[in-house]
Structure formats: C-alpha cells, structure tokens
Amino acid sequence: MIGLGTIINSAAIAAGGLVGHFTGKLFRQDQQDAVSKACGISVLFIAIAGAMQGMLRADKGEILSGKSMLVVLCLALGTIIGELIGIEKGFERFGEWLKVKSGNSGDRQFVNAFVTASLTVCIGAMAIVGAIQDGISGDYSTLAVKAVLDFIIVAVMTSSLGKGCMFSAIPVFIFEGAITVLARLISPVMTETAVAYLSLIGSVLIFCVGVNLVWGKKVRVANMLPAVLFAVLAAYLPWTF
C-alpha cells in the first residue's frame, strides 16, 4: 500500500508523544529540564555524526575534510531566503492555531515544543528518500525505521518540553505524504550526490536544533530550511565541493 510509510511514521510520532506526556508527569520540573538537556546533547551528537560522515573521507590512511564551502553557501543563502519569507513565524502561527484548536491555550511551551519537535523529525534524508521509495514501489522500510527513531525522540522531547511535540506528526504527515504523491517527479532529481548533500546540510540544521535544546532558543532553525533546497541544487553544479 503506497503511503503506508507516512501513516506508520506519523502514528509513531503521535504514540511517542502520548508516552512522553504520561511519563513526563512522573518527573519534577528540574528533572524535566535535565531530560531536555540530555535530549539536546543526544541530538547534537547524532547531528555531528551525520555531518562528519558527509564532510570527512579516508584517503591513503589519512582523514581529510571537505565540503566546507558547500555548508557555508547553502546555510548563508538558505537563511537569507528563509528570513525574507519568515518561515519561522509561519511555523509559530500554525503552532498557535494548533494550540487553540487542541484546547491547549494555557500551555506556554506548546509552540516551542511543536516547532522544535517538527524540525527534528522533518529534516533529513530519511524522510525524503523513504517517502520516494514508498511512492514509487510501496517500499516503506526506510520510513518504518525512521518511525522507530522518531518514536523515541518525540517521547523524550514530550516528557521534557510538553505535549506540543506530539503534534509534530501533522507536518510530518503533510511533508512525507506530499513527497510520496509526487515521488515519480522528485525521484530523478534526488541523485546519489543530491542525497549526500541534503543529508549533510540536514545534519547541520539538526545540530542547530540541539543547540536550542541545550542552551535555549538561540537559532531560528526554520528560517534556515531553504538551505536543503540549495544543497540539492548544488549537486547539479559543474564542479564538486
């Protein structure tokens, strides 16, 4: 069944949110803060691993780095576009609407939790590649693996940030569902190089999410999202990074 991967992933996020919501009540506020910091540190190291995989290579027994210019250009250009469009404000407005419609008007952390969790589970090559596989052949295995990871991540986030995290299932459903429907159009664009570049830039953005979790909101990560589009476009330039 085409689209089953998106359904599984969205359901796993919602289930993780429910688990985190009920287990979070078992902890005091200072303990919830500690869990939030631990979650942020975990996200940082996951992102670092992904970024280093894209930037480092072994050559004759030496570890060499590269693609620094790709990172700089994609992030700079993407952030400029995102700031002009105001993507972060759009996320926040949607979060405020969800907060009211879901009966959580009194939850001051709802919007921050929703935006943070949404960015964490939406960014990355697994979401795009998995949705394309699901749309073309009905192979939902990649999204099923992502669903397990997202279940754990959202459960931990919800226990510390609040139930706004579980509503990140909505943008994931929309995002992955749209890619699944348009899979045959998107598939030729996502070459091996394009996926590698997207994974690298996505990892850097996830690192920024981790920074916000550990040190409080310092970076408007949503406004940096166009960077992933520039990463894909960079794969078609006549030179390599």
Side-chain angles (χ1 to χ4, degrees):
M1 173 184 169
I2 292 177
L4 183 59
T6 297
I7 295 172
I8 292 173
N9 197 178
S10 303
I13 291 171
L18 287 173
V19 170
H21 173 62
F22 290 111
T23 57
K25 293 180 178 179
L26 303 175
F27 301 104
R28 301 190 308 270
Q29 184 59 50
D30 60 328
Q31 293 172 330
Q32 291 179 1
D33 291 340
V35 172
S36 178
K37 294 291 190 298
C39 183
I41 292 170
S42 301
V43 171
L44 286 173
F45 274 92
I46 291 170
I48 290 171
M52 291 301 97
Q53 186 178 19
M55 297 183 72
L56 301 181
R57 60 186 175 84
D59 184 22
K60 297 179 180 178
E62 295 184 23
I63 302 296
L64 305 176
S65 64
K67 301 185 179 67
S68 299
M69 188 58 66
L70 171 72
V71 173
V72 172
L73 289 176
C74 288
L75 292 182
L77 293 173
T79 302
I80 290 171
I81 299 299
E83 289 287 339
L84 291 174
I85 297 175
I87 299 175
E88 184 96 9
K89 290 182 179 178
F91 260 98
E92 291 174 351
R93 283 195 295 268
F94 184 55
E96 290 287 353
W97 180 82
L98 275 178
K99 182 170 74 171
V100 174
K101 294 298 182 180
S102 62
N104 293 290
S105 299
D107 186 354
R108 289 182 295 178
Q109 280 291 317
F110 185 94
V111 175
N112 179 54
F114 167 72
V115 173
T116 301
S118 295
L119 292 172
T120 304
V121 296
C122 278
I123 300 171
M126 284 186 79
I128 295 176
V129 174
I132 290 175
Q133 291 173 340
D134 192 8
I136 292 178
S137 63
D139 178 8
Y140 59 85
S141 57
T142 300
L143 290 183
V145 173
K146 181 177 179 291
V148 175
L149 299 174
D150 289 350
F151 175 88
I152 298 170
I153 291 170
V154 172
V156 175
M157 281 188 168
T158 304
S159 68
S160 58
L161 296 178
K163 54 188 173 183
C165 294
M166 74 176 71
F167 288 89
S168 60
I170 296 174
V172 166
F173 182 83
I174 295 172
F175 180 64
E176 292 180 356
I179 292 176
T180 298
V181 171
L182 300 173
R184 295 190 184 278
L185 295 176
I186 298 173
S187 179
V189 177
M190 298 305 297
T191 62
E192 185 177 342
T193 301
V195 171
Y197 285 1
L198 184 146
S199 182
L200 170 56
I201 299 303
S203 294
V204 176
L205 296 186
I206 291 174
F207 179 87
C208 295
V209 173
V211 169
N212 286 346
L213 283 170
V214 176
W215 290 284
K217 190 167 184 179
K218 304 290 184 182
V219 185
R220 292 194 289 268
V221 184
N223 284 346
M224 301 169 73
L225 286 176
V228 298
L229 297 178
F230 283 104
V232 175
L233 292 174
Y236 292 92
L237 294 176
W239 62 86
T240 57
F241 288 89

